[in-house]
Amino acid sequence: MSAIVQARELSRWYGIVMGLNNVSFEIAPGLTGVVGPNGAGKSTLIQIITGQLQPSSGELTVFDEVPWNNPWLIERIGYCPEGEAVPKELRPLDWLTGLARMSGITGDAAARRCESILDKVGLPREHWFKRMGQYSKGMKQRVKLAQGLLHEPDLLVLDEPMNGLDPMGRQEVATMLKELVAGGVSIIMSSHILAELESLCKNILVLNWGRVLASGSQKEIRGDLKNWSEELSIQCDAPETLARHLFEAGVLLGFDIDPVDNRLEIRVKDAEAFYARWTELLLESQVTVQSIQSQSRSLRNIFDKVTT
Amino acid sequence: MSQETPMSEPVPSQDTSTLRQRTIRLDPTFFRALSGVWLFTWRSQANWRRLSLSLLGMLSLPVLMFLTVPSLSSWERSHRVQMGNPARYLGTFAGRLDLATLPLQQDQHPQLLRIVTEEFRRIETESAGTQGRESTTERQRRQVEACNERILQRAQAVLDERQLAQLQSYQRKNRVERSPTVTRQRGWDRTTPFYHLLIDLYFFIILPLNCVGTCGALIRDELAANTLSFLTTRPLSRARLMVIKYLSQTAWLQIVLLIQTLFLFAAAGLRQIPALGELVPVFLGAQFLAVWAWAGLGLFLGQVAKNYMALALVYGVIVEMGIGRIPTNINTLSLMFHLKTLLGHNEALQGIYEWPAIGVGGPVGALVLGAAMFATLAALLFTFKEYHHTTEMQK
């Protein structure tokens, strides 16, 4: 499948402040997460993708077209910005109907589409006739999401879409995003809730200081990190015994023991070699293991590693 | 042990780089987008708090007008020609004749008193009857002179030549002493405050500031509320979006200002301002054009600078109050000049301001052209300008 977004030597400055610094990457169809700390360049990237900003140098194309001042391309893109900003004096149906008409949805179809989309994002009907100034953060987030979906875009760009949603709301939105992707929609979403991105996104783009630190599928990024030390947390009945055995086998870089929880934290030098010998080493130690968890393979860990 | 993070990535059903088949039909047109923006424009204003505030604002000037323009009856009371007591008038004149050793004879006194009493009553009655036709101080002065003339003529049959000369001299002195206000307040009558409030305050100060302020903030307000991206990520060119915003906001301004004008004319009607029927169409026509032109200027200035109101004041001083008053063709650069030319077609305004009423097509064309030019410039600037909420807010 060809990439939907391609960036070549893309830079964007705000005066002397660097937003994006000579980045090149490709985003494949499907659901892609954009990760980075504040000031990493996530919002700048998203605004360039949605045609609100133009690059200072380099090029970015979406569906092989430049987004800036390109209404024909924008018709294929839906955008849900960050924050709680919605017109406070308007009711959601009025706002969405107006936006639907601006998007070119005709007559009565606009009203019907707005109702169905509000149902889809899970905004209860009793709130449809309230002014949005009275809405909670989560309700505003749902309406914002609805306006991005109004015109059935091919690419949906979401800036921190889970902010303000309760856990159940997050689950609902996550399910909806999965359905959209299954229906052929590509989604680019930024979020600081890494666990959600990890469970939702196959592809990740890690940004920091305006640079792309890693991009690709989570598996590919982990592959790139294979030479990095692996951290494991093991809960067992005899952590000291297991630590001594692994140390004598020469696979450990270091370890910590938490005697209260019977937990052993280990750092291994060569993850692949360690996993190849792990079963054998465990049998030899005769220790009973209750649980084992990789600390290095979570998105949080990847993120920490590439951003530090 | 599984080292893989749980993945629930759904597989896209098709290649998303190609156009998917939509279940809804998109046909983005100018007028459809206009109807959408118009919906935002009026719906966001249509709440009780905003409407009551607007109504309060709209009523303040008509109330001021009602309070400052005197009613016809009070004006009559305070401005009726009052010639005074005929006996006292005659007493003073008799004293003057005594000093000149030309005393009135016994039969002369009652005859002269009858003449003066009749003529005084006549002028007071006449003056009360002419109030309905908007008496002016000039007209009152003429009435007093006519009264004196008639007294002098009728007195010829009663007084001798020297006494008559004394009467003439007495009348001349009496006229100057009795009516100093007549000469000092020429041209200011009951209706003048109405015209000054309507034209000088409302039409040339409140209306331009309102239009420039509202349309200058069109994009700035969206940016401040961080809602601009909802509009710029629609399938519309930026220039088109700007023009649509301008049209819908100006249409709303036309409605609001039309209501305000109706309130103003209602207050004028209650104060029985004459010839309103002739003024209303000229004024509404000029206001219609003025709103488009000032709103266009506001839109443009809003794109040029964040402090667009300060820029508007600079523009007002340089172009409208400076260049617009230079008595050469350069004054046609001023919007106010064209508006004055249009308003000058009304007789009452012409009488007060003495504006040139040179044709209609020229000023109308100039105002339409001005509005179109400002809106086009604003649309061009908006097309090439980027807006970044955080950056803009930090400026």
Side-chain angles (χ1 to χ4, degrees):
Chain A
M1 257 182 260
S2 59
I4 51 165
V5 178
Q6 289 176 306
R8 290 178 211 92
E9 296 170 357
L10 176 71
S11 295
R12 168 72 206 198
W13 298 281
Y14 302 102
I16 56 163
V17 179
M18 181 75 73
L20 284 171
N21 184 7
N22 199 30
V23 296
S24 298
F25 60 86
E26 289 189 349
I27 294 178
L31 216 159
T32 302
V34 180
V35 191
N38 288 338
K42 300 191 297 291
S43 291
T44 300
L45 175 63
I46 280 175
Q47 290 192 6
I48 293 174
I49 290 174
T50 52
Q52 297 173 75
L53 292 177
Q54 44 184 338
S56 303
S57 68
E59 189 188 48
L60 180 134
T61 57
V62 180
F63 299 126
D64 299 323
E65 288 188 61
V66 175
W68 174 255
N69 263 332
N70 188 345
W72 299 273
L73 173 65
I74 296 300
E75 193 178 304
R76 300 182 65 188
I77 300 175
Y79 174 54
C80 174
E82 188 185 4
E84 295 176 51
V86 285
K88 294 183 177 71
E89 302 83 13
L90 288 174
R91 298 179 174 90
L93 272 180
D94 294 333
W95 188 48
L96 293 181
T97 306
L99 291 175
R101 287 182 193 169
M102 287 178 77
S103 297
I105 303 175
T106 53
D108 294 340
R112 283 197 304 275
R113 176 71 184 158
C114 296
E115 290 186 8
S116 74
I117 211 78
L118 281 177
D119 272 332
K120 189 169 186 172
V121 296
L123 186 75
R125 275 180 182 259
E126 63 263 28
H127 299 303
W128 288 12
F129 302 99
K130 288 181 184 168
R131 292 184 193 282
M132 290 188 284
Q134 304 168 11
Y135 274 19
S136 68
K137 220 172 173 183
M139 285 154 75
K140 285 177 187 166
Q141 200 65 271
R142 286 173 198 266
V143 182
K144 272 168 52 195
L145 201 56
Q147 64 78 34
L149 293 167
L150 267 178
H151 53 294
E152 291 191 346
D154 295 320
L155 170 64
L156 186 60
V157 183
L158 311 170
D159 202 350
E160 302 279 357
M162 302 293 191
N163 269 7
L165 293 174
D166 53 35
M168 197 181 287
R170 285 177 187 175
Q171 188 56 47
E172 285 169 15
V173 170
T175 308
M176 189 183 73
L177 296 181
K178 284 175 193 170
E179 285 169 6
L180 285 168
V181 173
V185 179
S186 290
I187 296 174
I188 297 173
M189 65 182 279
S190 76
S191 177
H192 65 273
I193 306 169
L194 297 179
E196 264 151 12
L197 282 184
E198 187 170 26
S199 64
L200 270 171
C201 306
K202 180 178 172 184
N203 301 313
I204 300 288
L205 186 69
V206 186
L207 292 173
N208 197 17
W209 299 111
R211 286 188 170 277
V212 174
L213 300 183
S215 70
S217 68
Q218 291 191 40
K219 197 172 178 180
E220 284 167 352
I221 294 173
R222 284 196 190 97
D224 291 344
L225 304 175
K226 68 182 178 186
N227 293 326
W228 294 25
S229 66
E230 181 81 357
E231 291 172 18
L232 292 169
S233 174
I234 304 164
Q235 199 159 25
C236 56
D237 59 351
E240 298 90 349
T241 314
L242 183 61
R244 194 181 306 116
H245 188 75
L246 293 176
F247 189 76
E248 284 169 359
V251 292
L252 289 191
L253 275 175
F255 65 90
D256 290 309
I257 294 171
D258 180 355
V260 181
D261 283 349
N262 272 348
R263 184 177 295 279
L264 173 65
E265 309 275 350
I266 59 168
R267 290 181 296 284
V268 296
K269 199 186 295 178
D270 182 344
E272 279 193 26
F274 171 77
Y275 289 125
R277 292 184 60 195
W278 167 242
T279 316
E280 174 198 339
L281 291 168
L282 190 60
L283 285 172
E284 285 172 5
S285 68
Q286 295 181 328
V287 174
T288 307
V289 171
Q290 279 94 42
S291 73
I292 181 163
Q293 196 175 3
S294 167
Q295 301 294 305
S296 312
R297 304 250 158 170
S298 68
L299 190 56
R300 159 63 60 191
N301 204 265
I302 294 173
F303 179 71
D304 288 344
K305 277 183 175 166
V306 296
T307 55
T308 50
Chain B
M1 184 185 67
S2 168
Q3 293 296 318
E4 280 293 322
T5 313
M7 298 280 255
S8 50
E9 167 72 5
V11 180
S13 61
Q14 55 184 302
D15 188 344
T16 47
S17 60
T18 59
L19 205 61
R20 286 182 316 124
Q21 191 66 41
R22 284 195 172 94
T23 59
I24 48 166
R25 194 169 71 86
L26 296 187
D27 184 15
T29 63
F30 181 85
F31 288 105
R32 194 159 291 133
L34 181 63
S35 75
V37 175
W38 171 243
L39 187 73
F40 302 149
T41 308
W42 79 266
R43 280 287 169 92
S44 58
Q45 303 290 330
N47 64 62
W48 288 114
R49 194 178 62 86
R50 282 198 178 214
L51 284 179
S52 47
L53 282 175
S54 298
L55 195 66
L56 210 64
M58 279 195 271
L59 281 173
S60 55
L61 190 59
V63 168
L64 180 71
M65 187 179 275
F66 186 80
L67 293 175
T68 51
V69 176
S71 71
L72 196 55
S73 55
S74 72
W75 180 265
E76 271 181 13
R77 274 197 302 279
S78 58
H79 288 78
R80 180 178 292 165
V81 178
Q82 289 179 336
M83 301 302 289
N85 185 343
R88 190 179 296 164
Y89 177 88
L90 199 56
T92 315
F93 175 58
R96 189 184 171 102
L97 287 177
D98 287 344
L99 283 174
T101 61
L102 297 166
L104 283 174
Q105 302 303 311
Q106 271 194 332
D107 59 327
Q108 281 180 313
H109 194 277
Q111 285 180 52
L112 201 56
L113 181 63
R114 187 169 50 81
I115 290 171
V116 171
T117 309
E118 280 175 10
E119 290 302 329
F120 273 22
R121 263 189 212 146
R122 182 179 166 186
I123 185 73
E124 283 176 1
T125 315
E126 268 181 12
S127 116
T130 56
Q131 292 300 309
R133 301 204 316 268
E134 279 307 306
S135 71
T136 63
T137 46
E138 181 62 25
R139 185 181 295 134
Q140 288 180 5
R141 195 176 61 82
R142 283 199 303 270
Q143 285 173 331
V144 171
E145 275 175 9
C147 172
N148 285 335
E149 190 62 35
R150 280 195 302 272
I151 290 172
L152 203 62
Q153 274 182 357
R154 290 178 66 183
Q156 281 175 358
V158 179
L159 303 174
D160 63 33
E161 212 168 288
R162 285 192 301 167
Q163 286 173 323
L164 212 57
Q166 284 294 328
L167 178 61
Q168 206 167 5
S169 160
Y170 172 65
Q171 280 183 338
R172 204 176 302 124
K173 181 175 179 290
N174 200 37
R175 185 173 61 217
V176 174
E177 282 174 358
R178 281 170 62 91
S179 53
T181 54
V182 168
T183 48
R184 284 177 199 161
Q185 295 189 2
R186 279 187 71 174
W188 186 272
D189 62 20
R190 187 180 77 86
T191 59
T192 311
F194 161 73
Y195 289 110
H196 284 290
L197 283 174
L198 182 73
I199 303 298
D200 296 337
L201 180 61
Y202 171 72
F203 194 75
F204 284 128
I205 295 177
I206 293 176
L207 186 139
L209 287 178
N210 196 350
C211 293
V212 171
T214 308
C215 284
L218 263 186
I219 298 299
R220 301 267 157 206
D221 281 356
E222 296 277 2
L223 199 62
N226 206 8
T227 50
L228 186 63
S229 59
F230 295 118
L231 304 178
T232 53
T233 51
R234 300 291 139 191
L236 286 171
S237 69
R238 283 170 166 244
R240 199 174 260 208
L241 174 64
M242 185 57 127
V243 171
I244 285 170
K245 290 274 282 175
Y246 167 65
L247 291 178
S248 59
Q249 189 61 50
T250 311
W252 176 255
L253 270 174
Q254 293 281 13
I255 293 169
V256 170
L257 292 170
L258 179 67
I259 295 169
Q260 168 135 35
T261 311
L262 293 179
F263 283 142
L264 285 170
F265 281 110
L270 288 173
R271 284 305 192 205
Q272 291 166 286
I273 303 291
L276 278 181
E278 292 160 27
L279 177 61
V280 169
V282 174
F283 187 83
L284 289 183
Q287 176 170 290
F288 179 77
L289 291 166
V291 171
W292 288 109
W294 294 128
L297 175 71
L299 196 74
F300 170 64
L301 295 179
Q303 287 304 298
V304 172
K306 191 179 177 186
N307 294 323
Y308 55 90
M309 284 309 279
L311 202 60
L313 291 177
V314 172
Y315 167 88
V317 169
I318 294 174
V319 180
E320 300 300 341
M321 295 171 78
I323 294 172
R325 290 185 181 181
I326 298 173
T328 60
N329 279 350
I330 199 172
N331 61 13
T332 51
L333 290 174
S334 153
L335 293 175
M336 276 187 183
F337 172 79
H338 298 293
L339 292 168
K340 285 174 183 173
T341 309
L342 281 178
L343 290 172
H345 286 86
N346 180 261
E347 201 181 324
L349 296 178
Q350 174 72 270
I352 295 173
Y353 296 101
E354 297 174 359
W355 290 327
I358 324 158
V360 175
V364 169
L367 289 166
V368 171
L369 189 71
M373 185 190 74
F374 285 131
T376 307
L377 285 173
L380 277 175
L381 281 176
F382 185 59
T383 299
F384 298 108
K385 202 168 175 181
E386 294 172 318
Y387 287 96
H388 190 265
H389 173 70
T390 317
T391 320
E392 285 291 326
M393 289 301 102
Q394 283 168 352
K395 275 182 190 171

